[in-house]
Amino acid sequence: MKQSKKIVEERQRSILNAVRTQGEVRVEDIADAHGISPMTVRRDLQYLESRQLLQRTHGGAVSLDQVHSKSQPSGVTLDCRNRISRFAATFVEDNDRIFINGSRTALNMLKYVQKTNVQVLTNNGWAIGDDFPKGITIHFTGGEMRGHLMVGNDVMRTLLEKHADKTFIGCAAVYDDGEFRYDIPTEIGINEAMVSRTKDSFFVLADHTKFRRSEDRENLYGSSIFERPCTLITDERTDRTILDRLRGFGMDVIVVPGA
């Protein structure tokens, strides 16, 4: 029998409270606590994640506070990301039209660009109020703000009306079988739209902390394999065996040396 909206909302509030209190929960534990099926739990978690109230994992969910604390990069990682950004900037030419997604590393590359009349279209809210070299003009896709990202139909419509010479994007993880993970599902469609509207090359910027072996895949929920080859820019701390496998899948891998 279909449950009333009130019962579902109360259960979802209880699940969210458990996630925030415990930091991490398992599907099986939630199902036992509420006397519901694991499939119902997964639907509740999917709904709560769509509202950006938690993050699903393989087998459960974690609080956003825990995600944020784990995502704080070390000084070494920040240095690697800055070197990746600086190197990526060397691919930008005068009069380029560029797409950039929600990646901070991709956005940061613009600070190193010393070219003229570079037009950038992005859904990255971190660019709002930031300072960039005078040769760069920032344009926004518009859309609904979710955290620092602009998402929704307006973003897609804007992208599908535009073309770029080059696209620079980041990711949540890179697997050794060529799959990229994105923790926000709507990013997949946005990234694919950017890539499909790119005339020249597209680049994925990922430091060594992002690389995974396929057998250690945590989450199949938000993942993508791009149909066209990309240039992957990473740092010298990345596992060489993973990079060799990715080259075997046709990726052009560039390892930025240390300072």
Side-chain angles (χ1 to χ4, degrees):
M1 184 175 69
K2 187 175 181 179
Q3 294 179 318
S4 70
K5 181 178 179 181
K6 182 178 180 181
I7 292 174
V8 173
E9 289 177 345
E10 288 178 350
R11 184 181 68 236
Q12 290 172 347
R13 280 195 294 269
S14 177
I15 292 172
L16 181 59
N17 182 63
V19 173
R20 288 174 170 172
T21 301
Q22 301 172 33
E24 184 171 2
V25 296
R26 297 191 311 154
V27 168
E28 291 81 1
D29 294 338
I30 298 173
D32 290 342
H34 291 272
I36 55 178
S37 70
M39 183 179 296
T40 299
V41 175
R42 293 188 181 95
R43 282 200 297 265
D44 285 342
L45 294 178
Q46 182 176 353
Y47 171 78
L48 292 169
E49 184 181 54
S50 72
R51 307 274 296 184
Q52 295 200 327
L53 297 172
L54 51 74
Q55 180 175 303
R56 290 196 296 164
T57 63
H58 180 65
V62 295
S63 69
L64 295 183
D65 286 342
Q66 184 162 320
V67 172
H68 180 71
S69 65
K70 288 182 177 180
S71 66
Q72 294 302 309
S74 67
V76 171
T77 301
L78 282 174
D79 178 64
C80 291
R81 291 179 183 176
N82 285 333
R83 286 189 281 110
I84 290 170
S85 297
R86 187 186 295 272
F87 187 86
T90 64
F91 289 94
V92 179
E93 302 293 338
D94 291 337
N95 304 311
D96 265 350
R97 301 296 183 265
I98 293 173
F99 290 150
I100 288 181
N101 75 342
S103 164
R104 190 182 288 276
T105 303
L107 183 67
N108 190 50
M109 62 167 276
L110 297 177
K111 296 182 179 180
Y112 301 107
V113 173
Q114 298 298 321
K115 301 296 181 178
T116 61
N117 191 32
V118 176
Q119 304 290 320
V120 178
L121 180 63
T122 184
N123 68 322
N124 193 328
W126 278 323
I128 298 174
D130 211 342
D131 293 324
F132 299 101
K134 62 181 181 180
I136 293 176
T137 303
I138 303 292
H139 303 270
F140 292 101
T141 59
E144 178 186 353
M145 289 298 298
R146 293 284 186 90
H148 75 283
L149 289 176
M150 300 172 191
V151 299
N153 292 334
D154 288 340
V155 176
M156 297 297 289
R157 278 194 291 266
T158 300
L159 290 172
L160 294 176
E161 291 174 355
K162 304 291 184 180
H163 281 94
D165 299 299
K166 302 178 180 77
T167 287
F168 297 85
I169 62 178
C171 61
V174 185
Y175 294 99
D176 63 358
D177 60 359
E179 186 174 61
F180 295 90
R181 194 186 85 214
Y182 294 93
D183 288 337
I184 301 175
T186 51
E187 276 192 293
I188 296 176
I190 291 171
N191 293 338
E192 289 179 342
M194 288 182 173
V195 171
S196 71
R197 306 297 288 177
T198 301
K199 298 177 182 178
D200 188 2
S201 305
F202 88 96
F203 303 82
V204 178
L205 282 52
D207 68 82
H208 61 278
T209 66
K210 302 292 183 70
F211 289 79
R212 310 280 191 276
R213 297 184 184 279
S214 55
E215 59 264 28
D216 299 325
R217 199 184 320 270
E218 304 100 332
N219 191 348
L220 293 174
Y221 179 53
S223 60
S224 177
I225 295 178
F226 294 108
E227 293 184 358
R228 57 185 286 189
C230 71
T231 298
L232 179 63
I233 305 177
T234 188
D235 61 85
E236 60 183 3
R237 290 175 174 265
T238 302
D239 188 323
R240 291 298 191 271
T241 58
I242 293 179
L243 296 184
D244 287 343
R245 285 208 67 192
L246 293 174
R247 290 187 178 100
F249 285 104
M251 288 190 193
D252 181 13
V253 177
I254 299 175
V255 178
V256 180

